Amino acid sequence: MTAFDPITALFVLMLASFVGLAVIKGVSRLLHTPLMSLTNAISSVAVVGAILVAGGGHDGLPTWLALGAVFASTTNLVSGFLITRRMLAMFKKREPRKA
Amino acid sequence: MTAFDPITALFVLMLASFVGLAVIKGVSRLLHTPLMSLTNAISSVAVVGAILVAGGGHDGLPTWLALGAVFASTTNLVSGFLITRRMLAMFKKREPRKA
Amino acid sequence: MIFTAVGAAYLVSAILFILALRWMSTPETARRAVASAVVAMAIAVVATLARPDVVAYQWIAIAAVLGTAVGIPLSRVPLTAVPERTGLSQSFGGMAAALVGTAKYYLWLEEGGLTPFRTGVISLEVILGCLTCTGGLMAAAKLADWIPSKSITYPFQNIVNVSLLILALLLGVYLVFNPTASWAIPVIIALALAFGVALLMPIGGADMPTVISFLNAYAGISAVLMGIVLENLLLITAGALDGASGFILSVVMCKAMNRPMTNVLFGAFGSAPAGAAATGDTRTVQSATPGDAAMLMSQADRVVIVPGYGMAVAQAQHRARELYDQLTKRGVDVRFAVHPVAGRMPGHMNVLLAESDIPYDRLAEMEDINPDMPQVDVVLVIGANDVVNPAARTDTSSPIYGMPIIDADKARTVLCIKRSMNPGFSGIENELYYNANTLMLFGDAKAVMGEIVKQLSGEAAAA
Amino acid sequence: MIFTAVGAAYLVSAILFILALRWMSTPETARRAVASAVVAMAIAVVATLARPDVVAYQWIAIAAVLGTAVGIPLSRVPLTAVPERTGLSQSFGGMAAALVGTAKYYLWLEEGGLTPFRTGVISLEVILGCLTCTGGLMAAAKLADWIPSKSITYPFQNIVNVSLLILALLLGVYLVFNPTASWAIPVIIALALAFGVALLMPIGGADMPTVISFLNAYAGISAVLMGIVLENLLLITAGALDGASGFILSVVMCKAMNRPMTNVLFGAFGSAPAGAAATGDTRTVQSATPGDAAMLMSQADRVVIVPGYGMAVAQAQHRARELYDQLTKRGVDVRFAVHPVAGRMPGHMNVLLAESDIPYDRLAEMEDINPDMPQVDVVLVIGANDVVNPAARTDTSSPIYGMPIIDADKARTVLCIKRSMNPGFSGIENELYYNANTLMLFGDAKAVMGEIVKQLSGEAAAA
Ligand SMILES: NC(=O)c1ccc[n+]([C@@H]2O[C@H](COP(=O)([O-])OP(=O)(O)OC[C@H]3O[C@@H](n4cnc5c(N)ncnc54)[C@H](OP(=O)(O)O)[C@@H]3O)[C@@H](O)[C@H]2O)c1
Ligand SMILES: NC(=O)c1ccc[n+]([C@@H]2O[C@H](COP(=O)([O-])OP(=O)(O)OC[C@H]3O[C@@H](n4cnc5c(N)ncnc54)[C@H](OP(=O)(O)O)[C@@H]3O)[C@@H](O)[C@H]2O)c1
């Protein structure tokens, strides 16, 4: 789609890495476990790549491989977001129930 | 030169802005004045753009305008770096001379 | 036009992903973080489906439904199984990258679109994806005890491992110069898959968390490579975020364990430190009963609870909550001191304690609580060992020397719950147990804690 | 191939720029920051000159030599003139952006390369560049007193200003739909230049620092737009860094002055607060002589010096250093309390004190020193006013209410050096001067400080 050259890709990669390092450093230590599952979920945006290949209207092996990738990434996507939400819901400041 | 489309430009801009906000927030308050002159100097990388237009082998008005830009950016470049260096050289931890 | 719209959607999606990670900076904003990431993902997927070059939907839908069907149960695992879930997830991520890379290779082979640059990147993507795939699987299997978690070694192991990787890389280089030599692809895949297994073989189960964190970084990098292959800036950005997260968490773990980064970065070769395990010490320890412990704590002004891996194993976090309630009711000031590498993954204790509904403002970090330790009446150590081992401060010959610890030994009285005198993760003795102000409470953490709570509530009922 | 090499050079250059800003995080690493930025710039320029589409060098060399000739003296200005230098530099930056945008427009006009997108971005670049150019110039002129620095207002001023900007923008929109309507370019330039002047007219000299910081952000954005026009990722990145810096410094200033961002963001229309200037107060203040001050401080254990704008005006920083030396020699603990907006630009005091060789570990930030104030024997306020005005804490009707201040009034004794009872920047009375524990030292800061130092050193010589 977009015009593209390797240097542009590297530029974006470089900047995104700096952004990543900066934001992750700011994450509360309390939340390192949910952070791990959230970034797992985020990296399952690879599903976009899988859809692009699987949906290209080709036949044969490449499509089947890409469908495998759709499956694998969807798994990550769903389980990653759900478990992150589940874990985060546990963090409460004030005591909400009587034990 | 590089293949280019507006979305790519915006992507780079967005990421660079996040990087900028993150690194600038980390700058020591002690150094806010030199920071101002350093970023001035850095933004004088506009000289690259001026050179591209001025050196393109065209004639007439555009070249003269671009040469004006080369002059203006070089001024910033030189004075920005020199004054930043001068200011930073003043920051000393231990007392280096007898007053 | 439509491509510009899709590009704009990807841009918005990338911004939301970044904001999501920024919002993970405090628990208050963290729920917004998930919402933002979900929206970002939805935008990305919808925009992709709307692209004119995506024409076949039904199989994608089926694969997505299957993925969801597997994903939902995977998200319901008990919290103690989170490390293995993460390993599995890394494995799936690597698999996806490898599959897409391979698929794209064959597509370009048909269409004649292969350039040296493209094959080079595809090779890297496939290698990294495959090794993450089997590596993550192995890590998950060892953590879940599906396979023996102990370190498996054999002669020339390192040479074999390195050769597998070098062979795969050489084939990748060969492909750069002969992009259409398609026979090399399956060989690369096989080599990389084997390398992932071989890499994890010598690593003991206890070292898995660090490995998983590195695999996280690898999975991120393979997503970046996929982005380069597919010329997709969103994938590059998201992959870089994932990679940075894996990298930083690994650094945090290594630092908190005082182990050099390089040690783990270069494949975590080598086994977990063997250490001088329980060397038939003849010194005696003082033990106490849950009743004594209940008495001591109920009379204290300030109690600090130090949870460790043993609390996770015993699932004793709910008992800890009950103890917290009982003591708080009596006006005792109770706090939890959480060491950055207590347990088996970063933030492990925080999640467990949050699960049992302990308000997170009662959790203190090591640096904040250590200065207060001399004023603490009772420290209760629940299944923690290395993170309270004073040898880290004093004994230069100890493998954990230099690792920052929670100064439990500086409190007036220390109570330690564990099942035996066995060492913890690092396999070394703990002086703390022999101190004059230390009392041992032997037994399973859940059972002992239950006893203590029963004493306290019985006492309360009697009063 | 060569283009890939140039792109790679730009990539390295961008990385070095980012690292440079990261290294500004501490004074220790700051020198590395400049070195890294210089290298980055050199790489970028050399790579650009090496591009095959850059063919004519001699005029560029001449322009660069001229620029250097102007730049060197500009870097030698006294430190008190740094704000106006910054304004001038923003002005040059804006000019460069506007010139390149215009030049590119005419080139594309000849070559037929104009697209709606390109003309749109060029228009924005030219507008922003031009307004930054005249705005920066005006700010510099007001700060340097080349023109009267007071706020100049006339009826319907805001309407005139906004109309100028809107007209320019409308012409830009017209150009998007009629890219070749080249007559519009000079008109846009004229309007934007006029807007820059008009925008700065009503703003008093004292408000200039905030305006300069915003111009910084504007200059950054115009560099970004230039990068988009020239399809150059390095320019986009560097411009964004500059923009972010201007933006954050503005936020810091606004916050420390407790003024809403929007107040300044939308063009800083309106004049500096007029305030209720010295309202012929009948209360009396106690004044003291430099001799008293010398005595008081030499007998103190802990002295805190609070510098302000008056110290900069009087150039009294070197006397402050001498005082610091004299007191330190006597075993007095001397620290400097630096308010974030003391003086007239962010970090102003820090640079002046560094110039006079005061070690920067003796400079304390407001938040750190305030809790210690009740234990301080003597606070010496040198030409500071608003930043020590207790009305900010207590008087809800005060224009500076809510601005965080240095709690000088909580010290045992407060000495204030200033020339009169005139108010400071915000034009309001300062209760501090009337306090029972405050002694005024009237006179020029340099002269008074000189006296104090003379007393102390004379005393030292006599002893
Ligand atoms: N958090 C991370 O990210 C991470 C990652 C990698 C490695 N590590 C390492 O893991 C270690 C963590 O330290 P830690 O102090 O939390 O744990 P530890 O040193 O491994 O000690 C755990 C203790 O819990 C006891 N225990 C086990 N099961 C129990 C049960 N059911 N009931 C009661 N006690 C039980 C064990 O003693 P008994 O067998 O006698 O009961 C053991 O001594 C550190 O060495 C750290 O470097 C952490
Ligand atoms: N730093 C920034 O970035 C920035 C930016 C914009 C605005 N501001 C504003 O500037 C103000 C800074 O506060 P401040 O306390 O540093 O300064 P200030 O409130 O402006 O007060 C300066 C004082 O110094 C005295 N003074 C002037 N020349 C003197 C001389 N030669 N010798 C002795 N005293 C002299 C003046 O009193 P006399 O006339 O009686 O001598 C005046 O009261 C704040 O209101 C802040 O909001 C700062």
Side-chain angles (χ1 to χ4, degrees):
Chain A
M1 66 168 275
T2 66
F4 194 86
D5 74 327
I7 292 294
T8 305
L10 289 180
F11 236 99
V12 169
L13 170 59
M14 180 272 288
L15 290 170
S17 305
F18 273 113
V19 173
L21 292 177
V23 292
I24 302 287
K25 262 188 199 149
V27 171
S28 160
R29 248 197 226 163
L30 277 177
L31 301 180
H32 274 175
T33 299
L35 171 67
M36 248 169 138
S37 56
L38 183 64
T39 52
N40 271 175
I42 288 180
S43 76
S44 75
V45 74
V47 74
V48 161
I51 292 177
L52 282 179
V53 179
H58 317 278
D59 281 322
L61 188 62
T63 302
W64 290 109
L65 293 176
L67 284 173
V70 172
F71 164 77
S73 328
T74 314
T75 310
N76 273 352
L77 194 164
V78 171
S79 76
F81 279 129
L82 288 179
I83 202 166
T84 308
R85 205 185 54 175
R86 199 179 122 210
M87 281 195 270
L88 288 177
M90 292 170 183
F91 284 87
K92 302 189 190 73
K93 189 146 195 171
R94 303 277 146 239
E95 301 169 40
R97 69 167 161 118
K98 295 267 159 232
Chain B
M1 67 168 278
T2 65
F4 195 84
D5 75 326
I7 292 293
T8 305
L10 289 181
F11 234 97
V12 169
L13 171 59
M14 180 274 288
L15 290 170
S17 304
F18 273 114
V19 172
L21 293 177
V23 292
I24 302 286
K25 262 188 200 147
V27 171
S28 159
R29 249 198 226 162
L30 276 178
L31 301 179
H32 274 176
T33 299
L35 171 67
M36 249 169 137
S37 56
L38 183 64
T39 52
N40 272 175
I42 288 179
S43 75
S44 76
V45 74
V47 73
V48 161
I51 293 177
L52 282 179
V53 179
H58 315 281
D59 282 322
L61 187 64
T63 301
W64 291 109
L65 293 175
L67 284 173
V70 171
F71 163 77
S73 328
T74 315
T75 309
N76 273 352
L77 195 164
V78 171
S79 76
F81 280 130
L82 287 179
I83 203 166
T84 309
R85 204 185 55 175
R86 200 179 121 209
M87 282 194 272
L88 288 177
M90 292 169 182
F91 284 86
K92 302 190 190 69
K93 189 146 192 172
R94 303 276 146 241
E95 303 171 38
R97 70 166 161 120
K98 295 269 157 230
Chain C
M1 200 54 221
I2 175 82
F3 276 130
T4 306
V6 170
Y10 285 169
L11 178 65
V12 171
S13 171
I15 293 175
L16 288 174
F17 279 136
I18 294 172
L19 289 178
L21 290 178
R22 273 176 80 134
W23 282 326
M24 288 295 280
S25 56
T26 62
E28 285 88 22
T29 50
R31 244 153 292 179
R32 210 189 308 160
V34 182
S36 155
V38 169
V39 171
M41 190 64 77
I43 291 176
V45 170
V46 169
T48 307
L49 290 173
R51 283 171 62 147
D53 54 351
V54 173
V55 291
Y57 297 100
Q58 75 275 32
W59 284 105
I60 293 179
I62 294 174
V65 168
L66 286 179
T68 309
V70 176
I72 290 179
L74 266 182
S75 76
R76 301 249 169 93
V77 298
L79 286 182
T80 37
V82 167
E84 38 278 37
R85 193 212 72 90
T86 309
L88 261 187
S89 151
Q90 247 101 60
S91 170
F92 279 17
M95 185 163 92
L99 286 173
V100 171
T102 314
K104 203 68 196 169
Y105 177 84
Y106 285 116
L107 275 183
W108 271 329
L109 188 67
E110 279 172 35
E111 298 169 359
L114 287 174
T115 64
F117 177 75
R118 284 176 170 173
T119 24
V121 178
I122 287 184
S123 304
L124 278 180
E125 180 189 350
V126 169
I127 293 175
L128 216 53
C130 287
L131 86 83
T132 310
C133 178
T134 44
L137 217 57
M138 285 283 290
K142 283 202 176 190
L143 281 165
D145 273 324
W146 298 331
I147 61 171
S149 76
K150 70 174 198 301
S151 149
I152 299 167
T153 53
Y154 51 87
F156 306 114
Q157 190 167 30
N158 284 357
I159 296 178
V160 172
N161 289 359
V162 173
S163 319
L164 284 172
L165 181 62
I166 288 186
L167 260 179
L169 288 173
L170 282 179
L171 275 176
V173 173
Y174 176 79
L175 267 176
V176 169
F177 292 105
N178 308 279
T180 55
S182 63
W183 59 268
I185 288 284
V187 184
I188 287 184
I189 293 177
L191 285 169
L193 289 174
F195 177 68
V197 176
L199 184 69
L200 272 273
M201 283 250 267
I203 305 177
D207 243 339
M208 283 306 140
T210 328
V211 172
I212 282 197
S213 200
F214 268 101
L215 289 179
N216 201 341
Y218 294 164
I221 301 174
S222 59
V224 167
L225 293 170
M226 188 200 293
I228 296 180
V229 170
L230 297 177
E231 313 192 338
N232 187 310
L233 300 181
L234 174 61
L235 281 182
I236 298 179
T237 306
L241 295 176
D242 193 31
S245 161
F247 177 74
I248 288 192
L249 290 184
S250 316
V251 171
V252 166
M253 279 200 256
C254 290
K255 264 201 193 142
M257 295 195 287
N258 199 37
R259 285 174 61 179
M261 263 295 274
T262 46
N263 209 336
V264 195
L265 234 185
F266 297 108
F269 285 118
S271 59
T279 46
D281 205 296
T282 52
R283 289 172 298 172
T284 50
V285 298
Q286 310 165 53
S287 63
T289 65
D292 303 337
M295 172 100 87
L296 269 168
M297 286 191 281
S298 62
Q299 286 165 359
D301 286 329
R302 305 178 72 186
V303 169
V304 168
I305 300 180
V306 183
Y309 179 61
M311 184 183 85
V313 174
Q315 290 274 47
Q317 64 269 30
H318 299 287
R319 297 285 167 285
R321 161 75 193 196
E322 287 162 28
L323 178 64
Y324 167 81
D325 285 334
Q326 288 292 341
L327 291 175
T328 306
K329 211 160 58 186
R330 284 175 175 70
V332 181
D333 177 72
V334 184
R335 285 201 288 166
F336 291 81
V338 179
H339 190 280
V341 294
R344 287 294 180 268
M345 60 186 173
H348 199 167
M349 294 298 120
N350 298 304
V351 177
L352 292 180
L353 294 174
E355 186 197 11
S356 70
D357 255 347
I358 287 162
Y360 61 78
D361 47 7
R362 294 276 89 193
L363 313 186
E365 292 192 355
M366 175 171 64
E367 298 81 22
D368 300 329
I369 205 147
N370 270 347
D372 299 347
M373 274 299 177
Q375 276 81 53
V376 170
D377 301 303
V378 181
V379 164
L380 174 66
V381 178
I382 311 181
N385 190 338
D386 299 338
V387 302
V388 290
N389 192 337
R393 278 201 314 263
T394 53
D395 178 2
T396 48
S397 69
S398 166
I400 62 166
Y401 178 71
M403 160 172 154
I405 61 156
I406 294 178
D407 296 335
D409 54 327
K410 299 202 173 147
R412 301 212 177 94
T413 308
V414 185
L415 301 169
C416 295
I417 306 183
K418 65 199 300 281
R419 296 164 306 183
S420 63
M421 288 306 288
N422 286 344
F425 169 80
S426 63
I428 56 165
E429 277 287 348
N430 193 338
E431 276 302 315
L432 175 70
Y433 303 143
Y434 301 99
N435 276 359
N437 62 343
T438 303
L439 298 170
M440 302 299 295
L441 296 158
F442 288 111
D444 176 76
K446 193 169 185 174
V448 175
M449 292 288 291
E451 267 309 309
I452 299 178
V453 172
K454 207 156 81 193
Q455 296 278 345
L456 285 172
S457 53
E459 186 191 305
Chain D
M1 198 54 221
I2 175 80
F3 277 130
T4 306
V6 170
Y10 285 169
L11 178 65
V12 172
S13 172
I15 294 176
L16 288 174
F17 279 136
I18 294 172
L19 290 177
L21 290 179
R22 273 177 81 134
W23 282 327
M24 288 296 278
S25 56
T26 62
E28 285 88 22
T29 51
R31 245 152 293 181
R32 211 188 309 159
V34 182
S36 152
V38 168
V39 171
M41 190 64 77
I43 291 175
V45 170
V46 170
T48 307
L49 291 173
R51 283 171 61 147
D53 53 350
V54 173
V55 292
Y57 297 101
Q58 75 275 34
W59 284 105
I60 293 179
I62 294 174
V65 168
L66 286 178
T68 309
V70 177
I72 290 180
L74 267 182
S75 76
R76 300 250 169 92
V77 297
L79 285 183
T80 37
V82 167
E84 40 273 41
R85 193 211 73 88
T86 309
L88 262 187
S89 151
Q90 247 102 60
S91 170
F92 280 17
M95 184 162 95
L99 287 173
V100 170
T102 314
K104 203 68 197 172
Y105 177 84
Y106 285 117
L107 276 183
W108 270 329
L109 187 66
E110 280 172 34
E111 297 169 0
L114 287 175
T115 63
F117 177 74
R118 284 176 171 173
T119 26
V121 178
I122 286 184
S123 304
L124 277 181
E125 178 188 351
V126 169
I127 293 174
L128 216 54
C130 287
L131 86 83
T132 310
C133 177
T134 45
L137 217 56
M138 285 283 291
K142 285 202 176 190
L143 281 166
D145 272 323
W146 298 332
I147 61 172
S149 77
K150 69 174 198 301
S151 148
I152 299 167
T153 52
Y154 51 85
F156 305 114
Q157 190 166 32
N158 284 357
I159 296 178
V160 172
N161 289 0
V162 173
S163 319
L164 284 171
L165 182 61
I166 289 186
L167 261 179
L169 288 173
L170 282 179
L171 276 176
V173 172
Y174 176 79
L175 268 175
V176 169
F177 291 104
N178 308 277
T180 55
S182 63
W183 60 267
I185 288 285
V187 183
I188 289 185
I189 293 178
L191 286 170
L193 289 175
F195 177 68
V197 175
L199 184 68
L200 271 273
M201 284 250 266
I203 304 177
D207 243 337
M208 283 307 139
T210 328
V211 172
I212 282 198
S213 200
F214 269 101
L215 290 179
N216 202 339
Y218 293 164
I221 301 174
S222 59
V224 166
L225 292 170
M226 189 199 292
I228 296 180
V229 170
L230 298 178
E231 312 193 338
N232 187 311
L233 301 181
L234 174 60
L235 281 182
I236 298 178
T237 306
L241 296 176
D242 193 30
S245 160
F247 177 74
I248 289 192
L249 290 184
S250 316
V251 171
V252 165
M253 278 200 256
C254 291
K255 263 202 195 144
M257 295 195 286
N258 199 37
R259 283 173 62 178
M261 261 296 275
T262 45
N263 209 338
V264 196
L265 234 186
F266 296 109
F269 286 117
S271 59
T279 47
D281 205 295
T282 52
R283 288 172 298 172
T284 51
V285 298
Q286 309 164 54
S287 65
T289 65
D292 304 338
M295 170 100 88
L296 269 168
M297 287 192 281
S298 63
Q299 286 165 359
D301 286 329
R302 305 178 71 187
V303 169
V304 168
I305 299 180
V306 182
Y309 178 59
M311 184 183 85
V313 174
Q315 290 273 47
Q317 64 270 29
H318 299 288
R319 297 286 166 284
R321 160 76 192 195
E322 287 162 30
L323 178 65
Y324 168 81
D325 285 334
Q326 287 293 339
L327 291 175
T328 307
K329 210 159 64 186
R330 283 175 175 73
V332 182
D333 176 72
V334 184
R335 284 200 290 166
F336 291 81
V338 180
H339 189 280
V341 293
R344 287 291 180 272
M345 60 187 173
H348 198 166
M349 295 297 118
N350 298 304
V351 176
L352 293 179
L353 294 174
E355 186 197 11
S356 69
D357 255 348
I358 288 164
Y360 61 79
D361 46 7
R362 293 277 89 194
L363 313 186
E365 293 192 356
M366 175 169 65
E367 299 80 24
D368 299 330
I369 204 147
N370 271 346
D372 300 348
M373 274 298 175
Q375 275 82 52
V376 170
D377 300 303
V378 181
V379 164
L380 174 66
V381 178
I382 311 181
N385 190 338
D386 299 338
V387 302
V388 290
N389 192 337
R393 278 201 314 263
T394 52
D395 178 1
T396 48
S397 69
S398 167
I400 63 168
Y401 179 71
M403 159 172 155
I405 60 156
I406 294 179
D407 295 336
D409 54 327
K410 299 203 173 147
R412 303 212 175 95
T413 308
V414 184
L415 301 169
C416 294
I417 305 183
K418 64 198 300 283
R419 295 163 309 181
S420 63
M421 288 306 287
N422 286 343
F425 170 80
S426 62
I428 56 164
E429 277 288 347
N430 192 337
E431 277 302 315
L432 175 69
Y433 303 143
Y434 302 99
N435 276 359
N437 62 343
T438 302
L439 298 170
M440 302 299 296
L441 295 158
F442 287 111
D444 175 76
K446 193 169 187 175
V448 174
M449 292 289 290
E451 267 309 309
I452 299 178
V453 171
K454 206 155 83 191
Q455 297 278 345
L456 284 171
S457 54
E459 186 192 303

